[in-house]
């Protein structure tokens, strides 16, 4: 079980996709969280009851509106995390346990922005931290979202520092350069993982 983490916009998803192409199974915490917040999801009612109907757009939770509220108020962020994180952790631990119980060998990659904060590093055999400069992170996120620079920086600051994550990593992927440089690092990592998995 391989844990991938990093700062907001550092390129965790890119590295996970490259590992998927190699044959790894990917379990993404953000995707699970999005599903939990859908109208039929287990967290929908609790989150709406807590933050009010102002977070709804056409009957669904508008994640951007919700994010604006919680990243402006640390107490509200803590409340939201308290509702969503236990469900995400439960699902990830369940899938991980199921994978370990199978006789078939393979790699499960869990992508978790808050890997250490959620305690999910404890179920991993190897931890990968993906890093980029803050400027690169901001540019990348602005390309694919409508978030302002200050909104992005608030999200980055809400996580533990990248330096602390790197200090606890088994492998660091530098995603500062172009995609080919990242691919080379992932290829080297994959060869090491295959040796570890034997």
């Amino acid at each position: 079980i391989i844990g991938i983490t990093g700062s907001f916009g550092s390129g965790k998803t890119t590295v996970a996709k490259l590992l998927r192409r190699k044959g790894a199974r990917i379990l993404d915490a953000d995707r699970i969280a999005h599903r939990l917040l859908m109208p039929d999801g287990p967290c929908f009612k609790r989150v709406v009851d807590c933050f009010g109907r102002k977070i709804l757009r056409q009957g669904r939770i508008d994640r951007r509106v919700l994010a604006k509220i919680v990243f402006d108020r640390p107490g509200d962020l803590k409340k939201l995390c308290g509702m969503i994180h236990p469900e995400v952790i439960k699902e990830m631990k369940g899938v991980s346990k199921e994978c370990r119980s199978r006789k078939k060998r393979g790699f499960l990659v869990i992508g978790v922005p808050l890997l250490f904060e959620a305690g999910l590093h404890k179920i991993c055999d190897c931890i990968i931290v993906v890093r980029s400069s803050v400027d690169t992170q901001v540019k990348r996120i602005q390309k694919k979202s409508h978030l302002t620079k200050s909104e992005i920086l608030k999200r980055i600051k809400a996580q533990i520092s990248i330096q602390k994550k790197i200090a606890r990593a088994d492998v660091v992927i530098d995603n500062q350069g172009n995609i080919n440089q990242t691919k080379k690092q992932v290829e080297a990592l994959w060869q090491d993982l295959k040796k570890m998995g034997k």
Side-chain angles (χ1 to χ4, degrees):
I1 293 171
I2 318 298
I4 293 191
T5 192
S7 195
F8 184 45
S10 61
K12 300 178 294 294
T13 306
T14 299
V15 172
K17 280 178 183 170
L18 291 170
L19 288 169
R20 179 188 276 131
R21 284 183 203 162
K22 298 282 183 191
R25 179 182 173 187
I26 309 297
L27 191 61
D28 185 271
D30 285 339
R31 285 189 174 215
I32 295 169
H34 293 172
R35 196 176 71 242
L36 294 170
L37 289 173
M38 295 299 279
D40 59 348
C43 295
F44 180 83
K45 189 176 183 305
R46 273 182 286 165
V47 172
V48 174
D49 287 347
C50 182
F51 295 100
R53 298 193 67 79
K54 62 183 178 289
I55 65 170
L56 296 178
R57 294 288 177 277
Q58 297 175 330
R60 290 175 176 243
I61 291 172
D62 185 320
R63 292 197 310 273
R64 190 170 177 202
V65 172
L66 181 59
K68 201 164 176 52
I69 293 167
V70 300
F71 285 106
D72 278 339
R73 298 186 212 134
D76 282 346
L77 180 60
K78 200 173 177 182
K79 273 186 210 168
L80 180 66
C81 290
M83 287 181 255
I84 297 173
H85 286 179
E87 296 289 338
V88 174
I89 292 165
K90 185 172 145 192
E91 185 164 334
M92 289 203 139
K93 282 185 173 176
V95 173
S96 301
K97 194 175 175 184
E98 181 198 319
C99 285
R100 285 214 193 274
S101 68
R102 286 184 196 158
K103 289 187 177 148
K104 188 181 170 190
R105 288 195 172 271
F107 295 101
L108 173 68
V109 174
I110 61 170
V112 193
L114 304 176
L115 184 80
F116 298 111
E117 296 92 326
L120 285 167
H121 62 288
K122 293 172 188 169
I123 65 168
C124 299
D125 301 300
C126 175
I127 294 165
I128 301 162
V129 170
V130 184
R131 74 167 172 205
S132 289
S133 72
V134 173
D135 283 346
T136 303
Q137 287 169 240
V138 170
K139 281 174 193 164
R140 279 185 188 144
I141 296 161
Q142 284 182 324
K143 262 187 190 175
K144 61 182 185 181
S145 77
H146 300 294
L147 295 174
T148 64
K149 186 176 180 178
S150 67
E151 285 173 326
I152 295 164
L153 293 174
K154 273 179 194 170
R155 294 188 186 201
I156 291 170
K157 284 174 188 165
Q159 300 178 353
I160 66 169
S161 74
I162 193 68
Q163 290 79 13
K164 284 183 180 173
K165 290 180 182 183
I166 287 169
R168 299 171 78 177
D170 296 301
V171 178
V172 177
I173 299 281
D174 191 320
N175 195 33
Q176 179 66 24
N178 62 45
I179 188 66
N180 287 329
Q181 290 168 320
T182 304
K183 279 180 180 174
K184 277 181 191 170
Q185 292 174 79
V186 172
E187 177 58 40
L189 166 67
W190 185 249
Q191 296 308 321
D192 288 342
L193 289 174
K194 283 200 294 185
K195 284 176 201 163
M196 191 174 93
K198 280 179 183 174

